[in-house]
């Protein structure tokens, strides 16, 4: 028989916390009323939504999947992993990988034929990529051609799918049969290009909103990549973006990462009544999480306080073997840190994949007034991608 607590004790419990008229719920409502005009920023896995407060309608920006070029550049980036994944499938005895390899070869050739400077310049037309269109075309051409060629040879010679050989000659580029540009550089470049676009547009939008950063309430809601990813300041894409956009004025304690919080879709903004209900729900959620903070400071002011740490990034050197946080990239030539970040985001289930290319690009955009033409991109700025004959 399932245990049931005594109803008198349950009533005592409910009087403080768990019913709409409880003391705790009443305090949360009062705190919410006291700051109903404070701005509230909702960050989902794809959008930033600002509720300015005072009944004014929300505004938003899509910083990820709905943006031009995201799927194109990400599809190319994935080719750096596709050959190793097929190699691992082969090791596990899944010989359907041969069919997958042939299909991939065919699609790489299709993309190679379609790829052109005019497509990237006139159709994708990403503002942050202006001036880079020819080099992006070369990068895509080279990556597709190299992938198709490598897989064609691997189907005839399985030695190419041995991981020691693959690492030396495809990823690192220091083996006797190395490709002209290592795929580590290509992956760093595609991550950086994607970050350059999303960060540039997000910073521009945030700077246009005239946000009172000291009073801003932030909820990072919903999923962000893997179910286990983005749950801390260090592993979430949005946190460093807002920190830099605010000129370091955002109080980290006012930012809540809440994967269980509901999200809102941009098409729902046209319904003013829905927006009002959603804003009220998010404000209640925020105060429900943080009302205890004020009380703890009133109750125990003479005891050590909690402070959210926002930068624990290590630097790596040739002797570094293990890191427990995303390492900091110091320059476009800091290849050990750049590739370590690629490994880190795949190895730590708590990391968002996209964070691999963000830190160095964000630092440069912030230092250069959000001017993407001044940003150096790892694996791209100092690399020449050979164009292939099919284009």
């Amino acid at each position: 028989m399932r245990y049931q607590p005594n109803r008198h004790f349950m009533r005592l419990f409910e009087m403080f916390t768990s019913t709409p008229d409880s003391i705790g719920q009443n305090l949360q409502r009062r705190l919410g009323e006291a700051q109903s005009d404070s701005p509230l920023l909702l960050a989902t896995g794809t959008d930033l939504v600002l509720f300015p407060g005072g009944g004014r309608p929300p505004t938003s920006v899509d910083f990820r999947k709905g943006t031009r070029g995201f799927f194109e550049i990400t599809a190319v980036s994935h080719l750096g992993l596709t050959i190793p994944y097929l190699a691992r499938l082969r090791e596990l005895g899944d010989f359907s990988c041969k069919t997958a390899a042939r299909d991939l070869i065919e699609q790489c050739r299709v993309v190679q034929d379609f790829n052109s400077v005019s497509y990237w310049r006139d159709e994708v037309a990403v503002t942050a990529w202006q001036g880079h269109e020819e080099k992006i075309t070369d990068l895509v051409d080279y990556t597709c051609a190299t992938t198709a060629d490598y897989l064609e040879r691997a189907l005839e010679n399985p030695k190419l799918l041995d991981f020691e050989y693959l690492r030396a000659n495809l990823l690192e580029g220091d083996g006797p049969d190395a490709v002209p540009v290592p795929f580590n550089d290509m992956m760093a470049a595609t991550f950086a290009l994607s970050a350059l676009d999303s960060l540039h547009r997000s910073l521009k939008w945030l700077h246009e909103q005239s946000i009172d950063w000291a009073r801003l309430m932030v909820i990072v809601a919903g999923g962000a990549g893997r179910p286990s990813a983005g749950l801390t300041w260090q592993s979430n894409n949005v946190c460093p973006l807002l920190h830099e956009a605010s000129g370091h004025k955002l109080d980290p304690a006012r930012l809540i990462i809440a994967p269980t919080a509901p999200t809102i879709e941009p098409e729902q903004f046209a319904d003013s009544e829905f927006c009002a209900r959603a804003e009220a729900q998010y404000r209640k959620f925020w105060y429900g999480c943080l009302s205890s903070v004020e009380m703890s400071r009133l109750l125990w002011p003479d005891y050590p306080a909690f402070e959210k740490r926002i930068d624990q990034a290590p630097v790596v050197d040739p002797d570094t073997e293990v890191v427990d946080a995303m390492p900091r990239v110091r320059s476009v030539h800091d290849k050990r840190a750049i590739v370590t970040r690629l490994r880190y985001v795949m190895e730590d289930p708590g990391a968002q994949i996209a964070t691999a290319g963000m830190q160095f690009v964000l630092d440069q955009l912030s230092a250069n007034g959000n001017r993407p033409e001044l940003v150096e991109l790892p694996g791209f700025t100092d690399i020449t991608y050979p164009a292939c004959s099919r284009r």
Side-chain angles (χ1 to χ4, degrees):
M1 183 176 176
R2 185 179 177 183
Y3 163 74
Q4 292 290 335
N6 179 274
R7 63 186 179 88
H8 301 299
F9 284 93
M10 277 303 300
R11 176 56 186 150
L12 185 63
F13 176 85
E14 291 167 351
M15 289 177 72
F16 174 69
T17 185
S18 65
T19 59
D21 61 347
S22 66
I23 294 169
Q25 293 283 336
N26 188 34
L27 177 60
Q28 290 175 23
R29 280 193 296 272
R30 292 293 185 181
L31 289 172
E33 292 168 1
Q35 297 194 52
S36 60
D37 288 341
S38 294
L40 185 149
L41 183 71
L42 172 72
T44 70
T46 57
D47 298 271
L48 298 175
V49 184
L50 178 66
F51 296 95
R56 289 170 289 174
T59 57
S60 69
V61 64
D62 181 335
F63 65 85
R64 193 164 180 248
K65 289 186 178 179
T67 60
R68 291 176 175 270
F70 171 82
F71 287 105
E72 290 93 333
I73 209 70
T74 303
V76 175
S77 185
H78 288 166
L79 294 178
L81 299 177
T82 303
I83 296 174
Y85 273 52
L86 289 172
R88 184 62 178 137
L89 284 170
R90 180 182 175 277
E91 284 186 347
L92 295 171
D94 185 343
F95 292 104
S96 67
C97 63
K98 290 186 177 181
T99 301
R102 292 188 181 98
D103 290 344
L104 188 67
I105 291 167
E106 181 180 352
Q107 193 59 33
C108 282
R109 299 303 190 196
V110 170
V111 171
Q112 217 183 334
D113 287 337
F114 179 80
N115 179 48
S116 69
V117 175
S118 62
Y119 175 73
W120 292 100
R121 184 188 60 225
D122 304 329
E123 295 189 46
V124 176
V126 171
T127 301
W129 296 348
Q130 285 181 0
H132 294 313
E133 292 90 351
E134 184 169 355
K135 192 164 187 177
I136 292 172
T137 307
D138 288 343
L139 181 154
V140 172
D141 188 45
Y142 167 78
T143 304
C144 288
T146 302
T147 300
D149 174 71
Y150 196 97
L151 285 175
E152 285 175 342
R153 292 186 292 118
L155 288 171
E156 298 297 326
N157 180 11
K159 172 191 172 184
L160 274 68
L161 298 179
D162 173 80
F163 270 92
E164 183 177 351
Y165 182 94
L166 188 154
R167 283 194 301 269
N169 294 287
L170 183 67
L171 298 180
E172 297 287 348
D174 56 5
D177 304 315
V179 297
V181 179
F183 268 25
N184 280 347
D185 287 326
M186 179 278 293
M187 287 189 284
T190 48
F191 270 93
L193 284 164
S194 182
L196 181 68
D197 171 50
S198 62
L199 291 172
H200 167 66
R201 289 185 300 99
S202 299
L203 286 170
K204 181 177 182 294
W205 182 82
L206 287 163
H207 292 155
E208 291 171 347
Q209 305 310 308
S210 301
I211 297 171
D212 184 350
W213 291 100
R215 298 172 60 225
L216 182 67
M217 307 151 59
V218 183
I219 300 175
V220 182
R226 293 172 290 195
S228 55
L231 304 181
T232 66
W233 181 284
Q234 290 76 19
S235 65
N236 194 283
N237 288 344
V238 172
C239 300
L241 168 65
L242 298 180
H243 184 60
E244 291 298 332
S246 72
H248 301 182
K249 295 176 184 176
L250 172 66
D251 182 356
R254 294 176 69 85
L255 184 149
I256 300 168
I257 298 173
T260 59
T263 58
I264 186 172
E265 300 297 330
E267 56 267 21
Q268 297 172 302
F269 296 159
D271 185 339
S272 58
E273 291 185 4
F274 173 86
C275 287
R277 292 195 302 271
E279 179 176 356
Q281 182 182 26
Y282 286 121
R283 289 183 180 275
K284 180 179 179 182
F285 189 98
W286 193 89
Y287 285 111
C289 292
L290 290 187
S291 61
S292 62
V293 173
E294 177 181 298
M295 292 307 301
S296 71
R297 292 169 180 170
L298 291 171
L299 289 170
W300 301 294
D302 298 328
Y303 291 82
F306 166 76
E307 183 177 12
K308 185 180 289 186
R309 294 184 178 179
I310 62 174
D311 190 2
Q312 297 173 322
V315 295
V316 296
D317 56 41
D319 298 323
T320 303
E321 295 184 1
V322 175
V323 293
D324 61 1
M326 191 82 79
R328 177 165 292 278
V329 177
R330 292 166 287 181
S331 78
V332 73
H333 305 294
D334 192 0
K335 190 168 182 177
R336 188 162 175 81
I338 292 164
V339 178
T340 299
R341 288 175 71 92
L342 294 174
R343 175 173 179 172
Y344 186 95
V345 297
M346 292 187 65
E347 196 163 357
D348 179 7
Q352 290 179 274
I353 301 294
T355 56
M358 282 190 60
Q359 169 257 313
F360 185 63
V361 174
L362 179 59
D363 287 351
Q364 290 184 87
L365 282 172
S366 299
N368 288 292
N370 199 27
R371 295 175 60 189
E373 69 274 16
L374 300 180
V375 172
E376 290 187 306
L377 300 176
F380 190 78
T381 299
D382 59 342
I383 301 270
T384 297
Y385 286 87
C388 300
S389 57
R390 290 176 64 91
R391 205 184 72 213

